Amino acid sequence: MKEKKYKGVVVPMVTPVTKEGALDTAAVERIITFFVEAGVSPLLMGTTGEGNSVSQADGLLFVETAVKAAQKRITIYAGLTGNCFSEQLKQAEAYTNAGADVIVATLPTYYALTPEQMENYYRTLADSIQGPLMIYNILATTHMSIPVDVIQRLADHPNIVGLKDSERDLERMAQCIEIAKGREDFCYFCGWAAQSAHSLELGGDGIVPSTGNYVPDMFQQLYEAAVKGDMDTANRLQDETNEIAKIYQKDRTLGQSLTALKVMMQSKGLCEPWMLMPLTRLSDEEEQTIKLKIED
């Protein structure tokens, strides 16, 4: 079997913005350069990137800026969210024309969808866009789980190249990895960062860890160790990155954890911890506590 085209570490990149809520293009360039140096790729406008809050104009500017900064050295994955299908098609076309390599689409979330509607959504989207499409399953935000049998059928679509699965279910993970095994045209990416090493040991193709925004090199080392079968090293790095994740995730909502992550990135000069509405910055006291933990 040929080596899979889509694999490795894909970091769900934060969306750096100014105090006024405009895209911070200089910060985008810094973060992309940081990722290139670590050998990882970005997923723009995923959950960590506040995808649902990014305007269409800034979304396109984000992709354009990232593509220019990457200079084809890494793969650019562009997240697609929203509830208006016609607008999604326009955005997907714009992102692809701007140089995005893969479109990663989350289910529309206003209505609870049946499995048949989920499958029809992805088939219609895959039939309608130019670039390759990746399915993004995330129960925590969509409040829907794409059934494994739907994934199995969608994997045979010629324009659907993989699954990014963030559902915290070990049995489901194993089943989805089995779907991707033994085929060149469909990949499995684990979006449950704490199970990165385990997913790779099972045969997954890649990982999508939000903590990679802060320590992309550690996740690249974890991935390389796992691919070589050095699970002692991979598991050690898993434990170390889990501890780093606690700094911004412990006792916080998902939204609060994202601004806490930006505080950590601020310590490396990558971006400022401003957020897009409806999310907000943490208090000065909370931000200082995070900075002190980093220094320990």
Side-chain angles (χ1 to χ4, degrees):
M1 186 178 78
K2 293 181 181 177
E3 189 173 316
K4 292 195 181 185
K5 183 174 182 180
Y6 304 109
K7 60 182 181 178
V9 182
V10 178
V11 177
M13 181 175 162
V14 302
T15 297
V17 295
T18 65
K19 183 178 181 179
E20 294 72 30
L23 184 72
D24 187 341
T25 54
V28 171
E29 293 170 355
R30 287 194 297 271
I31 297 170
I32 291 294
T33 299
F34 184 52
F35 287 177
V36 168
E37 291 171 350
V40 306
S41 293
L43 165 59
L44 312 180
M45 295 170 289
T47 302
T48 304
E50 305 168 74
N52 278 288
S53 301
V54 179
S55 70
Q56 292 184 3
D58 273 351
L60 179 55
L61 178 60
F62 196 177
V63 173
E64 290 172 341
T65 305
V67 167
K68 184 177 180 180
Q71 298 179 353
K72 298 187 180 299
R73 292 171 291 177
I74 52 178
T75 303
I76 303 295
Y77 297 79
L80 190 69
T81 59
N83 293 313
C84 178
F85 190 71
S86 62
E87 292 296 334
Q88 285 190 310
L89 292 183
K90 291 177 183 177
Q91 284 301 100
E93 181 179 17
Y95 294 165
T96 300
N97 289 340
D101 298 294
V102 184
I103 300 298
V104 185
T106 308
L107 282 172
T109 58
Y110 188 83
Y111 299 104
L113 303 178
T114 66
E116 292 75 18
Q117 289 169 330
M118 295 179 195
E119 184 171 348
N120 181 65
Y121 167 75
Y122 280 110
R123 286 191 182 280
T124 306
L125 184 59
D127 287 340
S128 304
I129 66 175
Q130 303 172 49
L133 175 67
M134 186 173 289
I135 302 162
Y136 183 178
N137 180 65
I138 179 163
L139 175 63
T141 58
T142 66
H143 309 292
M144 291 180 281
S145 173
I146 305 171
V148 174
D149 64 322
V150 171
I151 300 294
Q152 177 80 64
R153 291 191 293 273
L154 289 173
D156 292 328
H157 191 289
N159 201 37
I160 295 178
V161 299
L163 167 69
K164 188 257 185 180
D165 199 352
S166 297
E167 191 161 336
R168 300 191 172 196
D169 183 326
L170 289 173
E171 182 179 355
R172 174 194 171 86
M173 176 193 292
Q175 292 172 341
C176 290
I177 288 174
E178 283 301 316
I179 292 172
K181 271 186 179 179
R183 56 187 304 166
E184 302 170 10
D185 59 345
F186 191 82
C187 59
Y188 175 88
F189 279 79
C190 178
W192 183 4
Q195 295 295 332
S196 295
H198 179 60
S199 70
L200 294 168
E201 185 175 22
L202 291 179
D205 302 295
I207 54 177
V208 191
S210 60
T211 310
N213 279 281
Y214 183 66
V215 284
D217 53 332
M218 292 182 71
F219 283 99
Q220 181 62 20
Q221 291 165 22
L222 185 158
Y223 171 78
E224 291 174 356
V227 169
K228 294 175 183 176
D230 181 4
M231 292 312 300
D232 286 341
T233 298
N235 288 321
R236 174 181 58 78
L237 288 164
Q238 181 73 78
D239 291 340
E240 291 175 4
T241 54
N242 287 349
E243 289 303 310
I244 294 171
K246 289 178 183 178
I247 297 173
Y248 69 96
Q249 292 176 349
K250 192 174 187 300
D251 298 325
R252 293 190 176 91
T253 65
L254 175 57
Q256 290 172 326
S257 75
L258 301 184
T259 185
L261 176 57
K262 286 185 180 180
V263 172
M264 294 172 66
M265 296 175 72
Q266 182 187 36
S267 72
K268 293 190 174 185
L270 294 169
C271 67
E272 296 295 316
W274 298 108
M275 304 299 288
L276 292 168
M277 284 286 288
L279 299 181
T280 56
R281 283 183 70 156
L282 300 175
S283 67
D284 291 342
E285 182 181 356
E286 288 177 293
E287 289 190 7
Q288 188 60 33
T289 298
I290 292 169
K291 290 173 183 177
L292 289 172
K293 286 183 179 179
I294 294 171
E295 293 172 2
D296 288 344

